[in-house]
Amino acid sequence: MSAQINDGDAIAKDIRGTIAAEVRDWEAAGHRLPGLAVILVGNDPASAVYVRGKRRDCDEVGFHSNVQHLSANVTQSDLEDGIRALNEDDSIDGILVQTPLPDHIDQNAVIDCIDPAKDVDGFHPYNIGRLALRRPAFRSCTPKGVMLLLEHIGVSFHGLDAIVIGASNHVGRPMGLELLLAGCTVTTAHKFTEDTAAKARGADLVVSAVGKPGLVGPDWIKPGAIVIDVGITRGDNKKLYGDVQFDAVKEVASRITPVPGGVGPMTRVALLQNTLQAARAHLQVSD
């Protein structure tokens, strides 16, 4: 058996087309364009690549984009003042602060500073709390992107045994909440978990979000399981690596996502969907 490779690029392209058509209709009706503000702090090369990709996505679907590139030496107070100004800017529906941030910046305070109604990254405690209470508002982009991909390929979630490997605030934890909300029985594995491999072997759906190249091998996967590789690491050769040993695992799994081209494009399109959702609320445009 060789797994079906799920192409996130193709799915995301279809969704962007739907968003672009809706934005054209809004503009024709006299509404302003949805607006996304992205704040980039410092000169991290990977972050700069991600921000350029987000700007291209905005251009493709017709969003207004506002990219602010701040010095790596920006103070906490100046960064937060900039966020507050965007909170009050009526042309901006969504605000994203690109991570990682310099060590002297308190990332939690930055997230808390964003208006929850413009938190299109889905990181604010208000939005994570809404998801935990089964009343989602803005859903964290990477977990939402995974769910969009799984829904697109017709996965039936009810009763699935799922494991999420990794428990970060931005991916692992909300990913577990998403799968729980969808009707899965969910295990979250983390650095204190004993024998993660054995737990993974019992799962119908494996989502790895650790950022450790090659962590998940074929002996971790139940034959026919679905494998979603969220981990992404850039090697010294500039090549991107996932958590999953792709070539070996695809011979065991029924479906698998590649790195790159799997979850990454879905994360970006989830950001566009969240921005569209925020614009609907601000512009009072119905679905």
Side-chain angles (χ1 to χ4, degrees), residues 76 80 101 105-113 124-125 169-170:
Q76 183 85 28
E80 292 183 12
L101 292 168
I105 298 294
D106 182 340
Q107 182 171 312
N108 288 331
V110 167
I111 292 170
D112 291 350
C113 190
H124 194 282
N169 286 345
H170 295 167

Side-chain angles (χ1 to χ4, degrees), residues 84-170:
R84 292 188 187 96
L86 292 169
N87 285 341
E88 300 300 321
D89 187 337
D90 289 337
S91 71
I92 296 299
D93 300 294
I95 302 169
L96 180 150
V97 179
Q98 182 66 46
T99 56
L101 292 168
D103 291 342
H104 69 280
I105 298 294
D106 182 340
Q107 182 171 312
N108 288 331
V110 167
I111 292 170
D112 291 350
C113 190
I114 298 172
D115 181 348
K118 295 189 176 186
D119 169 41
V120 290
D121 240 349
F123 290 168
H124 194 282
Y126 173 85
N127 287 315
I128 295 289
R130 288 283 300 251
L131 180 60
L133 293 174
R134 296 179 289 183
R135 298 167 56 199
F138 292 116
R139 297 155 59 193
S140 298
C141 292
T142 296
K144 179 178 180 178
V146 170
M147 298 304 290
L148 288 171
L149 186 150
L150 292 171
E151 289 161 8
H152 183 88
I153 64 178
V155 171
S156 178
F157 295 99
H158 288 182
L160 281 186
D161 287 321
I163 185 168
V164 179
I165 305 172
S168 68
N169 286 345
H170 295 167

Side-chain angles (χ1 to χ4, degrees), residues 79-274:
L79 177 54
E80 292 183 12
D81 284 346
I83 292 170
R84 292 188 187 96
L86 292 169
N87 285 341
E88 300 300 321
D89 187 337
D90 289 337
S91 71
I92 296 299
D93 300 294
I95 302 169
L96 180 150
V97 179
Q98 182 66 46
T99 56
L101 292 168
D103 291 342
H104 69 280
I105 298 294
D106 182 340
Q107 182 171 312
N108 288 331
V110 167
I111 292 170
D112 291 350
C113 190
I114 298 172
D115 181 348
K118 295 189 176 186
D119 169 41
V120 290
D121 240 349
F123 290 168
H124 194 282
Y126 173 85
N127 287 315
I128 295 289
R130 288 283 300 251
L131 180 60
L133 293 174
R134 296 179 289 183
R135 298 167 56 199
F138 292 116
R139 297 155 59 193
S140 298
C141 292
T142 296
K144 179 178 180 178
V146 170
M147 298 304 290
L148 288 171
L149 186 150
L150 292 171
E151 289 161 8
H152 183 88
I153 64 178
V155 171
S156 178
F157 295 99
H158 288 182
L160 281 186
D161 287 321
I163 185 168
V164 179
I165 305 172
S168 68
N169 286 345
H170 295 167
V171 181
R173 291 171 188 267
M175 187 75 253
L177 292 171
E178 287 278 4
L179 291 169
L180 186 63
L181 182 61
C184 297
T185 300
V186 183
T187 298
T188 299
H190 45 77
K191 63 182 179 181
F192 300 117
T193 300
E194 294 186 6
D195 203 350
T196 298
K199 293 176 172 62
R201 277 193 294 272
D204 306 303
L205 171 62
V206 177
V207 181
S208 187
V210 178
K212 184 175 181 180
L215 173 68
V216 179
D219 57 327
W220 285 37
I221 304 301
K222 179 169 72 173
I226 300 167
V227 179
I228 304 295
D229 193 350
V230 180
I232 186 165
T233 305
R234 189 177 298 273
D236 293 338
N237 58 1
K238 306 301 181 184
K239 184 178 178 181
L240 297 177
Y241 297 92
D243 287 352
V244 176
Q245 296 172 26
F246 182 84
D247 288 337
V249 170
K250 73 177 183 179
E251 301 304 320
V252 181
S254 62
R255 291 180 179 271
I256 191 170
T257 57
V259 175
V263 173
M266 299 304 300
T267 296
R268 284 167 39 195
V269 86
L271 173 66
L272 296 177
Q273 282 196 339
N274 282 353

